[in-house]
Amino acid sequence: MAVVLISKSPSVLVKPSSDPATSAAITDYLSLIGLTSYDEPNVGRPVTAFLVFDRPIDDPAETIRQGLSLALVPYYPISGRLATAFLACDVLTAIDCTGDGAGVPFVAASADAALRDVDLRGHLEELAVFYPAAGDPLLRPLLMVQVTVFSCGGFVIGVTWDHSIADGAGMGQFLRAIGELARGMPSPAVVPCRHDLSLAGMPSAFVRVNRLVNSLQPSLLTLLHLAVPYSLVSRIRQQFAAAVNGGHPCTAFEAVAAVLWRCRTRAVMSESDPSAPALLGFVADTRTHAGARDGYYGNCCYIMPPVGATSGAVAGGDVVDLIWMIRRAKERIPDYYNSSMDEEDEDGRRLQELADAGLLGYGNMLGVSCWRNLGMDKVDFGGGTPARVMGYMKEGMGRLPCCVCLPCEDGGDSFSVTSLCVKEEHAGAFLRELASLA
């Protein structure tokens, strides 16, 4: 692979192309938008995604900059800043849409090599703008964008955002809107909604799960880029369908999650005895269950109360059986919104008991999220959809060992997974377990 030099131009601040307050596209303009119970826990949490386009368009940086400026009219909160708000005796965090310095920092960059000659995984830190390691979230932009054009004409757009403004599905919706407006559409195909008073509050079980995850002691984890073969996933899906007497196959995500759960549990078994818990937490989009309005792009994707089993049962179990556990957990999502508070929080209390007993940590928990249905692979700035979507995970300390399933690559023969879920001493065993299933 070629050594690549990436040159960046000075950052410019992109603002809405017209005043959102007077735009005909805005019917419910608000200068101060309160965060929901789903948004609040994500304040100051950065997320970075990369969309790789191998087909040239005319002046990618300027095309995307103009599309961004147009999209920031209907999506005006994204150009705002977080601020402290006061409601009666409560101190809240809100999005200030009128403050000085509002806008999205935008960087145009160029690379002196062709995309096909570069291993992008070794250059991700040069392909986006990142927040400083320390700093007040109230003083920084909610979104930053970099467009890097390669010598072949292909380009990479790197987007970094504060998770409080949007979850992955919401950011995918916004990026598609930039593409639509950059291609000349008069308005986005989806009318955006950020202020939604009808949104149901976050179930207490979700609150407890995410609080406990944030309280875990960090572990030094190794970054791995994994490939789960299509052939393996297809075989597992067929086995699952056969096990339910000719029923529908499981989803690809359920198959991949079960594989990762079993392989990781086997790799770290030395850290725990077979009777110790092995928990799988997965991120679910609960928009439908929370009653979110169409076009809502705030947060509604959260870690569910984890699927629970013993380490021995997961390590020695059949993958089909693990899929059934995951499937049953997914089917329970509506219950968290329909049951009484006491029934709703039973899973949360059970998890708290494990935490109090010192049974939550590196050897016992795995989180899995999926970017395959976020819509980022549908973004089109004029030359077609991305050949690849990548996430950013920095090797080092992590609280929840996790894996992210990424959209499929064009022409690939496997599902791409970015993993920060094992320590270095367990990485070899984890990779061998994956290889043994292929």
Side-chain angles (χ1 to χ4, degrees), residues 13 83 92 171 278 432:
L13 198 63
L92 308 173
M171 186 53 59
R432 286 192 294 272

Side-chain angles (χ1 to χ4, degrees), residues 48-343:
T48 301
F50 302 90
L51 281 63
V52 182
F53 296 86
D54 56 5
R55 285 166 285 192
I57 62 173
D58 182 45
D59 198 347
E62 181 59 18
T63 296
I64 294 172
R65 188 199 65 77
Q66 291 182 10
L68 172 62
S69 182
L70 292 168
L72 287 175
V73 177
Y75 285 87
Y76 66 93
I78 292 179
S79 64
R81 298 292 184 269
L82 296 178
T84 299
F86 300 91
L87 179 63
C89 297
D90 296 326
V91 180
L92 308 173
T93 305
I95 306 167
D96 180 1
C97 303
T98 61
D100 292 338
V104 173
F106 182 91
V107 172
S110 60
D112 65 351
L115 267 175
R116 62 180 176 274
D117 296 329
V118 178
D119 183 355
L120 295 178
R121 294 175 300 183
H123 296 277
L124 295 183
E125 294 194 3
E126 302 171 80
L127 294 172
V129 186
F130 296 92
Y131 296 119
D136 187 350
L138 302 186
L139 301 177
R140 67 192 194 188
L142 293 172
L143 172 69
M144 300 183 291
V145 176
Q146 177 175 320
V147 177
T148 306
V149 183
F150 286 73
S151 62
C152 59
F155 59 96
V156 176
I157 176 172
V159 290
T160 298
W161 72 97
D162 188 297
H163 207 320
S164 63
I165 190 63
D167 58 20
M171 186 53 59
Q173 177 182 310
F174 175 62
L175 293 173
R176 293 196 304 277
I178 296 175
E180 289 161 355
L181 296 172
R183 300 197 314 269
M185 289 180 57
S187 61
V190 176
V191 178
C193 166
R194 187 60 180 78
H195 178 66
D196 190 357
L197 291 176
S198 65
L199 194 71
M202 184 189 295
S204 58
F206 291 19
V207 174
R208 193 189 295 256
V209 168
N210 287 275
R211 185 172 65 243
L212 286 173
V213 166
N214 290 331
S215 71
L216 296 176
Q217 291 300 311
S219 300
L220 187 59
L221 304 175
T222 295
L223 180 64
L224 300 172
H225 298 283
L226 312 174
V228 181
Y230 287 152
S231 56
L232 170 62
V233 173
S234 297
R235 186 168 74 243
I236 291 172
R237 296 185 70 197
Q238 291 168 3
Q239 290 171 353
F240 182 86
V244 292
N245 297 320
H248 295 293
C250 62
T251 68
F253 170 72
E254 290 167 346
V256 172
V259 166
L260 295 171
W261 189 20
R262 189 174 83 162
C263 290
R264 184 193 182 270
T265 301
R266 288 183 172 185
V268 303
M269 278 287 285
S270 59
E271 295 282 322
S272 60
D273 66 75
S275 63
L279 307 179
L280 176 73
F282 59 90
V283 176
D285 186 347
T286 63
R287 278 170 169 74
T288 299
H289 310 294
R293 290 162 52 189
D294 291 344
Y296 175 74
Y297 62 93
N299 285 277
C300 238
C301 294
Y302 255 86
I303 299 176
M304 300 294 302
V307 185
T310 64
S311 295
V314 175
D318 189 278
V319 171
V320 169
D321 294 331
L322 302 184
I323 292 172
W324 272 117
M325 295 183 195
I326 297 170
R327 174 69 63 86
R328 285 193 290 269
K330 291 172 65 177
E331 291 172 346
R332 289 190 59 199
I333 293 175
D335 296 338
Y336 294 108
Y337 287 91
N338 298 329
S339 59
S340 71
M341 185 65 72
D342 287 341
E343 293 171 336

